[in-house]
Amino acid sequence: MDKVPVTVVIPAFNSERFIGEAIESVILQTLPVSEIIVVDNNCTDNTRKIAEDLGATVIDQSKQGASAARNLGIMKAESDWIAFLDSDDFWEKHKIERQWQAIKRFPDSRFISCDFGLLIEPVREKISPKRTKEPECNDSNMLIVDGDLSYCPAYTNDLFKWILMMTSTTMFHRDVFAHVGAFDEALPLAQDLEFFQRALARFPVATVKLPLTFIRKHGENRSDDQEALMEMHIRVTEKMLESPKSYPPGSGEFFRERMKLTFLTNSEKLSTNTKKTGND
């Protein structure tokens, strides 16, 4: 079977526990990719050996952080399309095939995503999300839905819950990086959110509304640090408010309101838990 012009970029830091399964999920795709690049972000374990034994190209990266690793992978990629996969996540076997169908159906898309599920360790419980309902405000100019495929020619924040995005769900044409730049290496967290918004401001996006990627939750995920994540979300929101033309209209205000709601919700949970503890 002919390979599609897709390079898979996998940042890795001491990832020997899961990277084998991540790479194997790429190898087992029903539509094979052209290239797998693992960016070794100063690993001190067996990550390199596992990756090389599975046939991946391993590139050393002296800088720390997933953004720097992804950016190096983008530079080294030889394909027109670049798909990202975190070293502790994995794909269902039809992921690339279904996303390639989305590209064929909507050929001017330059940003492709899919829905995702969670894999809870150590019990290996798979949790798939409920199908997100099509936005009530939809009209033919904002969102086209064709079975399990959707196409958005001009993104607005009304579609935030419809177009589900995690780094491991996404695939970009290299035109995107040429026009909007790369991942912000100054952001240790939430750099994917910031980059996605820049891309959505300029390019049509197609989405496969099926959970073709599984995000592994194993107790060591950096995103579990809610305080640090909130701090980075504040920084990203400030960037949007300072440079509104680089992001979809109203993004800064949209995410500022979301953060307020998150803060209020967390405060209410903390208050409830405190009261329960006091009553005990």
Side-chain angles (χ1 to χ4, degrees):
M1 183 183 296
D2 292 337
K3 296 180 178 180
V4 288
V6 175
T7 294
V8 180
V9 173
I10 306 176
F13 174 68
N14 289 348
S15 304
E16 64 180 7
R17 185 178 172 193
F18 300 122
I19 195 166
E21 187 173 358
I23 295 172
E24 286 173 353
S25 77
V26 179
I27 295 171
L28 294 174
Q29 289 295 299
T30 54
L31 189 60
V33 302
S34 298
E35 184 181 28
I36 303 173
I37 294 177
V38 172
V39 183
D40 183 339
N41 207 197
N42 298 302
C43 296
T44 59
D45 62 0
N46 290 319
T47 295
R48 170 181 284 274
K49 183 179 186 308
I50 294 169
E52 289 179 337
D53 286 349
L54 288 169
T57 299
V58 180
I59 301 173
D60 291 323
Q61 167 67 282
S62 58
K63 292 184 180 180
Q64 289 287 346
S67 289
R70 291 185 189 118
N71 290 342
L72 180 60
I74 294 165
M75 291 175 55
K76 298 294 185 180
E78 297 182 355
S79 305
D80 290 336
W81 288 89
I82 299 166
F84 296 103
L85 177 60
D86 286 350
S87 60
D88 51 358
D89 298 335
F90 64 94
W91 293 340
E92 294 284 27
K93 63 181 181 179
H94 298 291
K95 192 258 191 187
I96 293 296
E97 181 179 359
R98 292 306 309 270
Q99 289 190 313
W100 201 252
Q101 290 172 356
I103 293 170
K104 295 296 185 182
R105 173 68 178 84
F106 305 109
D108 63 338
S109 300
R110 289 296 180 266
F111 178 177
I112 314 297
S113 190
C114 64
D115 286 359
F116 62 90
L118 302 178
L119 180 72
I120 310 300
E121 295 285 4
V123 294
R124 293 189 64 83
E125 178 187 3
K126 279 187 176 181
I127 301 176
S128 295
K130 294 181 179 179
R131 178 74 177 260
T132 306
K133 293 182 179 179
E134 185 178 338
E136 294 180 0
C137 59
N138 177 43
D139 61 54
S140 60
N141 295 321
M142 188 171 80
L143 182 69
I144 297 171
V145 179
D146 183 1
D148 290 322
L149 303 180
S150 72
Y151 168 75
C152 173
Y155 176 83
T156 69
N157 287 302
D158 295 328
L159 297 170
F160 182 76
K161 291 184 178 181
W162 172 259
I163 303 174
L164 301 179
M165 296 169 286
M166 298 286 281
T167 310
S168 295
T169 69
T170 58
M171 183 163 66
F172 297 89
H173 195 277
R174 60 172 58 256
D175 288 349
V176 175
F177 308 105
H179 284 85
V180 307
F183 288 88
D184 188 343
E185 296 180 14
L187 296 171
L189 292 170
Q191 67 279 92
D192 49 356
L193 170 66
E194 192 274 336
F195 175 75
F196 296 162
Q197 291 294 311
R198 273 188 280 135
L200 289 166
R202 293 288 299 274
F203 292 94
V205 56
T207 306
V208 183
K209 299 303 294 179
L210 295 170
L212 302 176
T213 296
F214 275 84
I215 309 301
R216 194 188 306 267
K217 306 299 288 184
H218 49 80
E220 298 177 11
N221 306 82
R222 293 196 65 193
S223 58
D224 287 344
D225 186 342
Q226 293 300 311
E227 184 175 346
L229 188 61
M230 178 62 76
E231 180 182 347
M232 290 302 104
H233 278 176
I234 291 172
R235 285 177 58 180
V236 169
T237 301
E238 289 173 346
K239 285 170 66 72
M240 293 178 181
L241 291 169
E242 291 168 1
S243 304
K245 292 183 179 180
S246 298
Y247 305 95
S251 288
E253 292 79 6
F254 174 79
F255 284 101
R256 182 172 58 193
E257 292 307 309
R258 279 182 60 86
M259 281 194 302
K260 288 180 182 178
L261 181 60
T262 300
F263 179 79
L264 289 173
T265 301
N266 291 342
S267 296
E268 289 173 359
K269 288 181 180 178
L270 178 62
S271 176
T272 300
N273 291 337
T274 300
K275 288 179 180 178
K276 287 182 178 178
T277 303
N279 290 336
D280 292 342

